[in-house]
Amino acid sequence: MTSSDDLVEDPTTLLDGIGWHATGDWKPSERRVPFIPRLKHIPPVFMMMIRFLCKSLWNWWHGEGIFINIFKQHLHMAHTGVPIGGIGCGSIGRDFRGGFNRFSVVPGIKEVWTDNVRANQFILTVRSVTGQLLTQRLLTCAKQNTSTLSAWDRTFPRSSVRYRGLFPQSWTEFVVPDLGLTLVCEQISPVIPHDYKDSTLPVANFVWHVKNSSRADYNVSIAFTWQNGTGCEQWARESVCRVQRYSDSHIGGMELAHRVRGRDMTYGVYAKRNEKRHAISSTSFDPTADGGAVWRALGEDGNFEGYDRIIEGYRECAVAVCAETQVLSSESGELEFVLVWNMPEIDFGKKSRVCKRRFARFFHGPSATSQIGAHAVQQRKEWQRKIDEWQGPVITDRLLPEWYRSALFNELYYVSDGATSWIEYDEKEEHVTDHTAAHMKEWGRFGYMESWEYLMYNTYDVHFYASAAFVENWPHLEVSMQLDFSEQLNREDTRLHKTLMDGETVIVKKRGRLPHDMGHPIDAPWEFTNAYCLHDTGEWKDLNLKFILASLRDYQQSIKNENPQAKEILAHFFDRSMEIIEAGKREWDLDGDGMIENGGFADQTYDIWTMTGTSAYCGSLWLAALEAARRMAEILGRKDEESSLADQVDRARAVFIKKLWNGRYFNFDETCSSIMADQLCGVWFMAALDGSTSNMLIDKEKVSSVLDTIFENNVKKFGNGKSGAANGWRADGTIDTVAIQSEEMWTGTTYALASFYALMGDRERCFAVAEGVYDSCWRRAGLQYQTPEAMFEWYFYRAMGYMRPLAIWNIHAALRNTESLRNYELDSTSGESSS
């Protein structure tokens, strides 16, 4: 990368370095498909599937969505690359071979069913200085639909293409050996940590570096073409398109206004102005025709000056912007384009209210699209400087494995591409505390989907693992989500629905319980929560306990340093936490021994894997929640409550150990001795919060034994030790197949488990565990930039495009904290102080 004003002398070096690498002809070595349950797992869920079908039909008839379609799982696309766009503004997928696909501009929906859009292309035209056409072709080797634009040459050889992706940037190299030309497309999206303005922008820069290694001089032009819509037939012809040119001192190009799912959308396609041998021309055309006129104009003139059409009255329309420059022998040139997709207002399925996207606070009005485009070309090098500054300490640290340096940033793709919505706070909203309203007025409201398949915003039990990425990089968004959930605790939704697993009729949302999620985008998220209806989440244990843990974490790592109302917010969290604890003692501690019990049904995030009596997973979360509440009471100076909670911690810990400790690890629950990878979830979280294992909830010797047992079984015996950590392993040395989820490897919990080893000072096993996720998804299966929730030992995956893999940022925090502690101890030993 370069941040200077000089051209990149050798753009091929941009393909070197840390990142996910591929060639244009790369194919995954391992075939994976969406999962099919074992025969023995079908009878227990057969009636659930019948209820699911009935509910799906009922919801479809009434124009409502269902949180998951179990009858239509999504297939991954093995050629997925780094997506484009900022956070919460809508994103666009990119094929690493050069195609554009899988749009997510409709709020809460990732259009995984769309192919590469034929009209969205970069076209290369090379002519001699005397005007002779030397070559003309699309700069892509991606698979294309051939029914339209048949005049366009799509024969670029796959063997001449290389790729490197390191979110939020990528580099694609195209080599034209017969002309001695190498072109590298540098793609940049403004996803920048602790930036709450530019990171929201629906924009991407494409900088084309052209290296001429031949003895001839060339006139090189690149045309960027783009059509209305998203590739989805449902709104391809939704409105008449309006096209206009735009030009200022920074950019020149075309704007294409239309509608997508009933909302105004404007695409801006621009080229950066450059005084050095650089000209810009533009046109519009019919993308449903053969494209011959556009192609010939470029071939004859190298530009659109003789074919500058503005077409009107078309429901399908495309625009093209061409930039040209002369590249002398043995020299390099540069052409820069910008794509903007401006949909400032959105609504959700029920259209009960219009929401303004966050970026519209900064760029609004009739000229917003061009303002964003001009801002992007002016700020691009500054964005790259900030990204380099952010990523540099990690990617230059040779003590870290190369795959990890890539994965840490590449897994962040989901903050942009997770069908995210970052919207302004609606000041008409009632029953919100003042500090929550104040925070959201300043930083907005944020929602991201559990999965491209699981259509629920901010699924809390999953976000618990993923939240480390937000705490580290965009803490105000994490606090917004936490405050949002805190306001929901004492709300009630008395509508009735049937749980799909057991057919019980329950109210949608109980008072005193956290909602599972903030709602379905096809309905009215935030107005109606708990789209999930597989079980009654009012009976879930972990949802509510995780809220207590996150409350303390968010206060310590963000709120207390940045919010003048920090103590008031902590008191608000503490009061909510005590309500959860008191209800838990009444309703979940059935034998009154100070430790909660599970109910023999799936009452936690492993929602098909049941726990009975005291369980390691929920028991450790209960223990951690009591300790987190104790610490909040201590900070607030509530001595009586602190003392009482301290006694409860001691009592719960004694019962937890007595009931479940078997000498090597904690049994899955009181009826099963399986080894659960996530068995000490609460202990892990509190150790991560402290950044140390010196004062853990469970003594360090037991924790070490647990982690040894998990590594020897769930990790080393699963997928030849190179596939992460299986959720469950039987004491007899075989994988636990009692439920679908027990035999899966959950990508996010594996990353969290790996961070536990790092906290214990065991970097070797930390990376050995985490590499299994990267190896199975990113290297072998072609699941890059679409990491699923779960991988089976062989052949299957489940829930493509998932939020929990953001948990890799727990490893980053653990490594940093343990390294800081080690340095402090070394300094202390040598008699020096460490600041």
Side-chain angles (χ1 to χ4, degrees), residues 404 468 471-472 553 557 684-693 755 758-761 763 809-825:
Y404 170 77
V471 172
E472 182 73 29
R553 189 268 316 274
Q557 298 187 4
W684 156 74
F685 190 91
M686 293 303 289
L689 180 59
D690 293 338
S692 168
T693 57
S755 75
L759 287 167
M760 298 289 285
R763 290 165 61 103
W809 281 85
N810 289 288
I811 301 177
H812 178 72
L815 292 172
R816 180 186 59 224
N817 290 336
T818 53
E819 185 67 19
S820 298
L821 181 64
R822 187 181 72 84
N823 291 338
Y824 176 81
E825 291 171 343

Side-chain angles (χ1 to χ4, degrees), residues 10-313:
D10 185 1
T12 62
T13 60
L14 297 173
L15 275 293
D16 300 332
I18 299 300
W20 184 82
H21 293 261
T23 56
D25 54 3
W26 179 83
K27 293 181 180 180
S29 61
E30 187 174 289
R31 185 167 182 244
R32 290 270 179 169
V33 296
F35 93 106
I36 300 172
R38 294 176 182 267
L39 288 176
K40 73 173 185 177
H41 291 153
I42 293 177
V45 299
F46 180 75
M47 287 307 300
M48 180 271 289
M49 296 173 70
I50 298 299
R51 295 186 194 101
F52 224 117
L53 177 61
C54 294
K55 184 169 178 60
S56 298
L57 293 172
W58 190 94
N59 284 21
W60 171 77
W61 183 258
H62 290 85
E64 298 179 1
I66 191 165
F67 71 95
I68 175 178
N69 184 350
I70 63 173
F71 302 106
K72 186 181 180 182
Q73 298 183 78
H74 293 158
L75 290 169
H76 72 293
M77 188 177 76
H79 300 101
T80 295
V82 173
I84 59 173
I87 303 173
C89 57
S91 62
I92 298 173
R94 193 88 202 276
D95 187 313
F96 69 73
R97 302 166 302 176
F100 293 89
N101 51 52
R102 299 193 167 192
F103 287 62
S104 187
V105 298
V106 176
I109 300 295
K110 180 69 174 176
E111 297 179 27
V112 297
W113 53 84
T114 56
D115 296 323
N116 290 313
V117 180
R118 183 77 167 99
N120 297 349
Q121 301 285 356
F122 288 101
I123 303 173
L124 170 68
T125 305
V126 182
R127 302 165 76 245
S128 69
V129 292
T130 60
Q132 179 185 2
L133 177 64
L134 301 177
T135 190
Q136 185 179 19
R137 61 186 73 182
L138 297 180
L139 286 167
T140 180
C141 62
K143 183 179 180 180
Q144 303 285 337
N145 185 332
T146 59
S147 61
T148 59
L149 304 176
S150 56
W152 294 12
D153 185 322
R154 53 188 179 86
T155 60
F156 206 102
R158 295 180 179 181
S159 59
S160 298
V161 176
R162 287 195 301 152
Y163 182 85
R164 175 166 80 100
L166 188 67
F167 182 85
Q169 301 183 102
S170 70
W171 301 263
T172 313
E173 177 191 78
F174 298 86
V175 179
V176 187
D178 52 325
L179 297 180
L181 277 178
T182 300
L183 300 96
V184 175
C185 178
E186 188 172 16
Q187 171 188 303
I188 305 104
S189 297
V191 179
I192 301 164
H194 305 285
D195 181 297
Y196 299 87
K197 177 187 175 184
D198 286 0
S199 289
T200 71
L201 297 180
V203 68
N205 296 61
F206 301 91
V207 183
W208 283 93
H209 305 277
V210 184
K211 180 182 179 181
N212 181 2
S213 301
S214 75
R215 296 181 178 180
D217 300 335
Y218 296 131
N219 289 331
V220 177
S221 66
I222 295 177
F224 189 12
T225 66
W226 200 266
Q227 82 166 78
N228 67 299
T230 65
C232 175
E233 293 184 8
Q234 185 175 351
W235 33 74
R237 298 174 55 81
E238 187 173 348
S239 65
V240 173
C241 300
R242 292 176 288 108
V243 177
Q244 67 177 20
R245 283 194 176 83
Y246 178 82
S247 180
D248 64 20
S249 59
H250 302 289
I251 55 176
M254 298 285 279
E255 295 173 357
L256 173 58
H258 59 294
R259 293 174 76 82
V260 173
R261 213 201 69 168
R263 305 308 307 180
D264 291 336
M265 157 77 89
T266 301
Y267 285 126
V269 180
Y270 309 103
K272 179 182 178 181
R273 294 202 176 280
N274 189 327
E275 296 178 357
K276 299 178 181 179
R277 306 186 298 274
H278 192 157
I280 299 173
S281 56
S282 58
T283 192
S284 57
F285 62 96
D286 179 1
T288 67
D290 68 359
V294 170
W295 194 261
R296 287 190 295 273
L298 288 172
E300 292 169 3
D301 302 321
N303 55 54
F304 294 125
E305 290 180 4
Y307 189 76
D308 54 348
R309 307 292 197 271
I310 297 291
I311 63 175
E312 298 178 351

